[in-house]
Amino acid sequence: MTRLEHLCRRRVPSDKVISPELARHCTELAREIGRSIGLLITRRGAVEQVLVGDGCVPSLRDLAKFRAGPRALRGIRLVRAQLDNSPLSQSDLTHLALLRLDLIAAIGAGDDGRPADVHVAHLLPPNPRGQVHEVLAPTPLHNLQLECDKFVAALETELMRASSGHTVGDRAESAILVSASPRSRTVQEDRLEELSELAASAGVHVLDKIIQRTSEQHQRFLLGSGKLKEVVIRALHCGADLLIFDQDLTPAQVRAISEITEMKVIDRTQLILDIFARRAHSREGKIQVELAQLRYLLPRLSGRGATLSRLGGGIGARGPGETKLETDRRRVRDRIAHLERELSLFARHQDQRRARRLRHALPIVSIVGYTNAGKSTLLNVLTKSRVSVQDRQFETLDITSRRLRFPRDREIIITDTVGFIRDLPKELMGAFRTTLEELRDADLLLHLLDASAKDLDGQMAAVEAILAELQLDRIPRVLVLNKCDRLPPREVEILRRRYNALSISALDPTTLPPLIDYLDAHVANVSPRWNEQAGEWCSAVPAAVVP
C-alpha cells in the first residue's frame, strides 16, 4: 500500500506519456500484486490518482475537478500498466470518448515484468469517415516518439476548430435531439421532426437525432446506459452543446444525465418556455411567460432539503434557520403571487375592452390552429394589418384583434391567437388562460390547418383537445386548409372533401374570396344572445356551421 501511495509523488515530464522509470516501476508492481495499475496524469506531469484493479477506469466522480467543455478535452490522461501485452479494449475506447480524456495508454508487461509494447489511443475531430478515435500501432515503450504536450495541444485545437464549424452564428447553440419512448419508431421520428422545428425556432442548430424504443422508461436516465454512452460519443463527435429530450424529464433525471454527459440537458417543455420568453413583447405576454417559467421551476428547486431547516418539529429537526433552498422557494412563491395579481388586473382591463366591443354587437371570428399554420399571415391579408409573421413556431404570442369589412359594409372583428401544439405544457396553459379566455366571446372559430403538414390528423386532434380542455369546443367552428399552394390540386381536393373544409393559401389573395363569402353569409344570419357579463344582447352565429 505504501508503494502505491508513493506513486502519487512521482512526476512525469510534460512531453512524455510516461517516463520509462515510472513505467517499469508500475509494471513490476502490477505483477507483484497481480492486478493492473492505472495512473491519472495531468498535463503538468503530476500523478493525480492511482487506480488498482481490472480495467482501471476512473469514474466521473474521480474526475470531478477536471470538468471538460463540450468541445474540449479534460486535461488528464490515463496510463495503465497491465499484466499482459493485450491491446486496448472496446470498453477502453468508449471511456476515452465518454470521459474526454487527453489520451489513454496501456503498457504491456513482459515475462520479466519489464515494460513491453505500449498501446495508445486518442480522440479525433469530426471527419467524413465518422471515426471518433484513433488507435496507434503498438510500439515498444523505448521507441515511443510522441511529444505528449504538443500533441494534446494540437489535438484540442483541432477539436475546437472542427466543432465551431457546426455553429450557425457566433451565439448559436448546437444540439442533439433524443427520444426514448415505447411508441413506434415512426411516431418518434415525427415527434423529433417537430422538436427539430421548435429547436430551429429557438435558434438552435440540430446536429443529430437519436431514437430508442424502450419497453418501459428507465427511471434514472430515461434511456439505457449503453444508449446514453452512444449519445455522449455522438455529441463529442458532432461538437454539440446541449441535449434536448422530447420527453419531459424529472429533476433527478436531469441531474443524472448531466453528471454523465457533462452537457446542458433540457426537455421539450423547457425549450417551448424558452421560445415563449424570446417572443413575448407585450407586458402581459412577458408576465405570462415568467409565471409559466416559475411554475415549472418551483418543483425542480433542490438542495439539502429540511436538514438545516427550523420549519420542522421534534428532536433533531431544529436547525439554525431557514435553508437557502427554502428561501429560494419562498421567493419564487412570492413572485408567482405577485405576477398572478398583475394578471388579474390585465384580466379586468380585458373584460372592459370586451364589454365595449360587445356593446357594438359586432360578430367576432377568432382564428385558432396549430402553431405555424399561417394564422397571422391570414389576419394580415384579410385586414391589411402588419402583424409580425415568420415561418417558425410560436411567432405570435399576443392576441391581436382587427376589423374586417365586407363588400356590403358589414363588419366583424377577427382575432389572431397564440398557436397550439400537442402536449402543450401545463404551466403555459395556466399562465395563458387569461389570454385564451378572450376566445369565449367568439361567435365562430376559424380552425386553420396547415394542409402540407405530415401529421395533419395529429395536429387537428391536438387543437381539438385543447379547445375541449378550455371548454371552447361548443363554439361553432369551420375548418380551413391553408398553404394549399404547396400541394397538387388533386391532393388539395381530396383533403377538402375529406375534412369538409375550405381550401386557401394566405399568400395568394385570389384564393380567399370563397372564405370571405362564407364568413359574410354566416355573419349575416347572426342571432342576438344575452351576455350576462355585459348585461346586454350581443351577436351569435347559428349552432350549425358547415361549409
Side-chain angles (χ1 to χ4, degrees):
M1 180 63 69
T2 302
R3 294 173 64 187
L4 289 172
E5 292 177 351
H6 286 172
L7 290 176
C8 292
R9 304 176 184 176
R10 304 293 289 264
R11 302 283 298 188
V12 178
S14 59
D15 62 334
K16 302 290 186 183
V17 175
I18 189 171
S19 63
E21 297 79 14
L22 181 57
R24 179 173 179 176
H25 185 69
C26 288
T27 54
E28 290 178 347
L29 184 57
R31 286 184 64 86
E32 183 178 330
I33 65 176
R35 303 177 73 182
S36 299
I37 297 176
L39 304 178
L40 291 177
I41 305 174
T42 66
R43 292 183 185 178
R44 293 184 177 182
V47 177
E48 180 67 25
Q49 190 174 354
V50 179
L51 306 171
V52 179
D54 295 338
C56 293
V57 177
S59 65
L60 283 170
R61 183 174 299 177
D62 298 329
L63 305 175
K65 72 177 186 178
F66 296 94
R67 293 190 65 83
R71 298 171 184 164
L73 299 173
R74 194 174 292 274
I76 196 166
R77 60 185 179 273
L78 172 62
V79 181
R80 183 174 68 237
Q82 304 182 140
L83 300 177
D84 54 21
N85 203 26
S86 59
L88 293 169
S89 65
Q90 185 60 45
S91 177
D92 292 329
L93 300 178
T94 299
H95 284 94
L96 170 68
L98 183 64
L99 301 176
R100 295 186 181 91
L101 300 174
D102 288 355
L103 56 83
I104 185 170
I107 305 171
D111 295 336
D112 55 358
R114 295 185 178 184
D117 291 342
V118 56
H119 305 265
V120 179
H122 62 84
L123 297 175
L124 284 175
N127 55 83
R129 296 172 295 173
Q131 288 182 298
V132 177
H133 41 66
E134 180 180 14
V135 180
L136 305 182
T139 307
L141 181 63
H142 61 274
N143 289 339
L144 184 62
Q145 303 295 325
L146 181 64
E147 295 186 43
C148 190
D149 52 352
K150 294 182 180 179
F151 175 80
V152 171
L155 175 60
E156 189 165 46
T157 300
E158 286 298 319
L159 283 169
M160 297 182 69
R161 181 185 297 119
S163 298
S164 63
H166 290 287
T167 58
V168 178
D170 294 337
R171 298 184 180 180
E173 290 184 292
S174 54
I176 289 181
L177 308 184
V178 183
S179 175
S181 168
R183 297 173 176 173
S184 67
R185 185 175 184 87
T186 302
V187 173
Q188 291 190 71
E189 288 176 349
D190 291 341
R191 290 184 62 89
L192 280 188
E193 186 64 31
E194 181 175 89
L195 188 65
S196 179
E197 294 177 3
L198 287 170
S201 185
V204 177
H205 182 43
V206 177
L207 299 178
D208 200 3
K209 303 172 186 176
I210 294 181
I211 295 174
Q212 183 181 39
R213 188 177 183 186
T214 56
S215 55
E216 59 183 45
Q217 294 182 349
H218 294 258
Q219 294 300 317
R220 188 178 183 190
F221 299 124
L222 188 67
L223 68 170
S225 57
K227 196 69 173 181
L228 184 60
K229 291 180 180 179
E230 178 186 331
V231 171
V232 175
I233 294 174
R234 186 60 184 157
L236 173 66
H237 183 249
C238 295
D241 299 303
L242 68 156
L243 299 177
I244 304 178
F245 281 77
D246 183 52
Q247 291 73 29
D248 285 340
L249 301 175
T250 65
Q253 287 172 336
V254 172
R255 287 195 299 270
I257 297 172
S258 298
E259 288 175 359
I260 290 292
T261 63
E262 294 190 332
M263 297 176 65
K264 183 179 178 181
V265 178
I266 65 174
D267 57 21
R268 185 174 182 271
T269 297
Q270 285 177 280
L271 181 62
I272 294 176
L273 289 174
D274 182 78
I275 295 173
F276 272 63
R278 290 172 181 236
R279 305 284 160 72
H281 299 299
S282 67
R283 174 63 180 163
E284 183 179 2
K286 291 178 180 179
I287 290 176
Q288 291 175 130
V289 171
E290 183 182 355
L291 181 59
Q293 289 177 319
L294 292 177
R295 285 175 174 170
Y296 178 82
L297 173 65
L298 183 59
R300 288 166 172 77
L301 289 175
S302 61
R304 297 182 63 182
T307 306
L308 303 177
S309 175
R310 69 180 179 186
L311 304 182
I315 296 175
R318 297 183 178 91
E322 195 175 37
T323 65
K324 183 179 183 301
L325 173 61
E326 289 165 347
T327 303
D328 292 341
R329 285 176 174 167
R330 176 169 50 80
R331 288 176 177 173
V332 170
R333 291 192 186 100
D334 291 344
R335 182 63 177 170
I336 288 175
H338 172 72
L339 294 176
E340 287 176 341
R341 287 193 296 270
E342 288 202 42
L343 277 184
S344 65
L345 293 177
F346 279 112
R348 197 175 306 166
H349 295 156
Q350 189 179 76
D351 290 341
Q352 295 172 358
R353 292 196 305 269
R354 287 154 62 185
R356 288 194 301 269
R357 183 187 305 161
L358 291 172
R359 278 197 296 270
H360 291 84
L362 292 178
I364 301 173
V365 175
S366 293
I367 308 175
V368 298
Y370 212 76
T371 179
N372 202 30
K375 298 180 294 297
S376 298
T377 303
L378 180 59
L379 177 74
N380 284 344
V381 174
L382 290 175
T383 63
K384 298 182 180 179
S385 303
R386 294 183 179 180
V387 177
S388 175
V389 293
Q390 288 195 44
D391 188 13
R392 61 183 184 182
Q393 310 275 25
F394 296 116
E395 175 62 19
T396 302
L397 294 186
D398 302 311
I399 285 187
T400 304
S401 298
R402 295 290 186 270
R403 288 198 179 197
L404 173 61
R405 182 181 295 272
F406 294 111
R408 299 176 184 176
D409 290 336
R410 187 180 294 112
E411 285 187 343
I412 66 170
I413 293 176
I414 186 165
T415 62
D416 177 27
T417 61
V418 60
F420 299 153
I421 196 170
R422 59 169 61 94
D423 300 331
L424 187 68
K426 295 181 180 178
E427 295 80 8
L428 281 175
M429 283 288 292
F432 277 78
R433 187 171 291 273
T434 55
T435 296
L436 297 174
E437 284 289 329
E438 194 155 325
L439 294 176
R440 296 189 184 279
D441 297 326
D443 299 304
L444 175 67
L445 296 181
L446 197 158
H447 185 173
L448 200 65
L449 295 167
D450 180 359
S452 62
K454 293 182 179 178
D455 186 17
L456 187 57
D457 290 330
Q459 292 189 5
M460 185 169 66
V463 174
E464 296 289 344
I466 294 174
L467 291 176
E469 184 176 350
L470 295 171
Q471 298 180 346
L472 301 173
D473 51 331
R474 295 183 179 181
I475 299 177
R477 54 191 177 276
V478 57
L479 290 177
V480 179
L481 294 169
N482 188 29
K483 304 184 182 181
C484 291
D485 55 317
R486 299 183 179 182
L487 299 175
R490 178 181 177 83
E491 189 173 343
V492 171
E493 182 61 21
I494 293 175
L495 291 176
R496 191 190 69 79
R497 292 177 178 274
R498 175 183 176 185
Y499 295 105
N500 192 25
L502 297 171
S503 57
I504 66 167
S505 171
L507 296 178
D508 184 3
T510 61
T511 64
L512 299 181
L515 173 61
I516 297 174
D517 293 341
Y518 172 79
L519 296 177
D520 190 11
H522 281 81
V523 298
N525 299 321
V526 294
S527 57
R529 65 176 178 182
W530 179 257
N531 183 279
E532 296 181 358
Q533 190 172 19
E536 59 186 22
W537 292 95
C538 61
S539 59
V541 297
V545 178
V546 181

